[in-house]
Amino acid sequence: MSSRATQPALKTPVSANGKRGGNGKARHREQDIEVGLDGLVGHAGYAVRRFQIWIFQDFIRTLAAVDIKPTQYSVLTVIGANPGLSQMAVAKRLGIERARLVHLLDSLEDRKLVRRVQSRTDRRSHALHLTARGQASLRQFKLLAAEHERHVAEKIGAENREHLLRILAAFT
Amino acid sequence: MSSRATQPALKTPVSANGKRGGNGKARHREQDIEVGLDGLVGHAGYAVRRFQIWIFQDFIRTLAAVDIKPTQYSVLTVIGANPGLSQMAVAKRLGIERARLVHLLDSLEDRKLVRRVQSRTDRRSHALHLTARGQASLRQFKLLAAEHERHVAEKIGAENREHLLRILAAFT
DNA sequence: AACAATTGTTGTCGTCAACAACAATATTTC
DNA sequence: GAAATATTGTTGTTGACGACAACAATTGTT
């Protein structure tokens, strides 16, 4: 109809730039030829999604040695800052479902980082506490998380990171 | 038993704010009492995750009438802007796996929005095109997506949204 | 012609959100 | 105080999603 602009990438894969014909060294270079995103560029959701994927991957990589993923870290942090919280309270605060928190806590309890103590004020609920080992571990996790945060600052710029935190402060 | 009344969150910061003492009208207000997040506040990943959840929910809600979700919208947009692209090219550009794109395209093709045309230059691949209906629909989807984008601007501020898009431009 | 790589497809596995249902316990209401 | 209602933790199901592996058809390479 109108804009055939950026070449479909199928016919005439690569024309100028004889990357392909020479010796058999250039491998799979076909369609990173500049595929237009059109409307997506102006969409905050798309940018945020891609950024979130990147940031989570870096977090997981940076804390791979201690095998702690973002959600686990958030749970440990909240319990560490508010000992005795119920599972419901933690779930509500972090925006995860209590059904899901059950498995998360099972795992953390198996690793002796968290303890479910029977609450005497409400025998339905569990009071969550970090074990001594959990507290020591969390200190180490926070060091690694700070390193991850430095990666973020390197990626987007320290002042941009600060600005972004301010912009999104309402969502924490 | 009787004195503790409603404070399962054992040693929570609580404080004043007598939300509870009066008549028995206040329902389930137990632990939205200000649960500290401690270290999480300074973490970009946490803020970005929460924001991403909010923004996707608003997108889904705003486009619920046409039953289009963010991923579907991104696929339609890319195909619309680059007709004839192969599935591999679309998957690469959007960072989704080609295995997953198969199901996405199955759905979109069932709805007569997209067509898989046998490419004559490479009989393995399909050239992706929007149908006439797909093009008309996409125009409507973009109007709704723009409305969603206005919700984002209302939520975080128009200039903050602009700034955020600039900061994250590298990830699109 | 023989070999390797790519494309679309199917399937599996593990993570995750959203629900529904349930037993044990607490709270409310009569 | 007993009955009705609500909440907490738990188990299970469903569907979306990413990461892989395997495969047939086709293309590229040597």
Side-chain angles (χ1 to χ4, degrees):
Chain A
M1 281 288 183
S2 47
S3 62
R4 194 39 83 78
T6 48
Q7 289 190 346
L10 288 185
K11 37 185 62 174
T12 61
V14 176
S15 50
N17 185 356
K19 259 245 180 80
R20 210 82 186 70
N23 52 35
K25 210 73 239 280
R27 307 287 270 289
H28 36 57
R29 292 289 70 105
E30 253 81 15
Q31 46 265 350
D32 35 21
I33 310 185
E34 187 191 347
V35 175
L37 273 183
D38 192 55
L40 281 190
V41 200
H43 280 320
Y46 184 69
V48 169
R49 170 180 165 252
R50 301 297 292 252
F51 181 51
Q52 203 244 337
I53 291 173
W54 181 88
I55 210 170
F56 266 54
Q57 284 176 343
D58 184 86
F59 186 100
I60 294 172
R61 207 181 319 129
T62 306
L63 285 100
V66 294
D67 191 28
I68 288 290
K69 281 179 294 181
T71 312
Q72 296 174 308
Y73 179 78
S74 68
V75 171
L76 290 174
T77 300
V78 168
I79 297 177
N82 312 83
L85 231 48
S86 71
Q87 298 187 191
M88 197 57 200
V90 172
K92 231 174 211 168
R93 176 62 244 225
L94 291 177
I96 60 189
E97 281 192 86
R98 62 189 204 277
R100 173 155 165 56
L101 188 59
V102 172
H103 302 295
L104 285 168
L105 289 174
D106 285 348
S107 162
L108 294 174
E109 212 171 21
D110 286 348
R111 292 171 64 176
K112 314 288 188 201
L113 300 176
V114 170
R115 264 183 51 211
R116 281 189 253 226
V117 180
Q118 177 78 294
S119 165
R120 269 187 308 281
T121 63
D122 186 339
R123 292 168 55 197
R124 292 172 303 182
S125 68
H126 294 154
L128 302 175
H129 294 272
L130 295 186
T131 64
R133 184 179 173 188
Q135 295 177 20
S137 297
L138 181 53
R139 274 191 287 275
Q140 186 197 359
F141 301 162
K142 284 184 177 177
L143 294 179
L144 293 170
E147 184 185 330
H148 153 70
E149 217 58 36
R150 282 192 292 275
H151 297 168
V152 176
E154 284 175 21
K155 184 74 175 181
I156 66 176
E159 66 290 339
N160 278 338
R161 176 182 163 277
E162 296 285 347
H163 204 321
L164 188 140
L165 281 173
R166 269 197 304 274
I167 292 177
L168 302 183
F171 291 92
T172 59
Chain B
M1 285 297 181
S2 49
S3 60
R4 265 294 135 70
T6 53
Q7 293 193 4
L10 303 183
K11 45 171 70 170
T12 9
V14 190
S15 60
N17 189 350
K19 259 249 180 82
R20 206 73 191 68
N23 52 38
K25 209 67 240 271
R27 306 286 271 290
H28 37 57
R29 293 288 73 107
E30 254 82 15
Q31 44 267 352
D32 35 23
I33 311 185
E34 187 191 345
V35 176
L37 273 184
D38 192 55
L40 281 190
V41 198
H43 281 322
Y46 183 71
V48 169
R49 170 179 165 254
R50 301 296 292 251
F51 180 52
Q52 204 246 335
I53 290 173
W54 181 89
I55 209 169
F56 264 56
Q57 283 177 344
D58 184 86
F59 186 100
I60 293 173
R61 206 181 320 128
T62 306
L63 285 111
V66 293
D67 191 28
I68 287 290
K69 282 178 295 181
T71 311
Q72 296 174 308
Y73 179 78
S74 69
V75 170
L76 289 175
T77 300
V78 167
I79 297 177
N82 312 83
L85 230 48
S86 71
Q87 299 187 192
M88 197 59 202
V90 172
K92 231 174 210 167
R93 176 62 246 226
L94 290 178
I96 60 189
E97 281 193 86
R98 63 189 204 277
R100 171 152 166 58
L101 189 59
V102 172
H103 302 295
L104 285 169
L105 288 175
D106 285 349
S107 163
L108 294 175
E109 210 170 22
D110 286 347
R111 292 170 64 176
K112 313 288 187 200
L113 300 176
V114 169
R115 265 182 52 210
R116 282 189 251 227
V117 180
Q118 177 77 292
S119 165
R120 270 187 307 282
T121 65
D122 186 338
R123 292 168 56 195
R124 293 170 302 182
S125 67
H126 295 154
L128 301 175
H129 294 272
L130 295 186
T131 64
R133 184 181 174 189
Q135 295 178 19
S137 298
L138 182 54
R139 274 191 288 273
Q140 186 196 0
F141 301 162
K142 284 184 177 177
L143 294 179
L144 292 170
E147 185 185 332
H148 152 70
E149 216 59 38
R150 282 193 292 275
H151 298 168
V152 177
E154 284 174 21
K155 184 74 175 179
I156 66 176
E159 66 292 337
N160 279 338
R161 177 182 161 276
E162 296 285 348
H163 204 322
L164 188 140
L165 279 173
R166 268 198 305 275
I167 292 175
L168 302 183
F171 291 91
T172 58

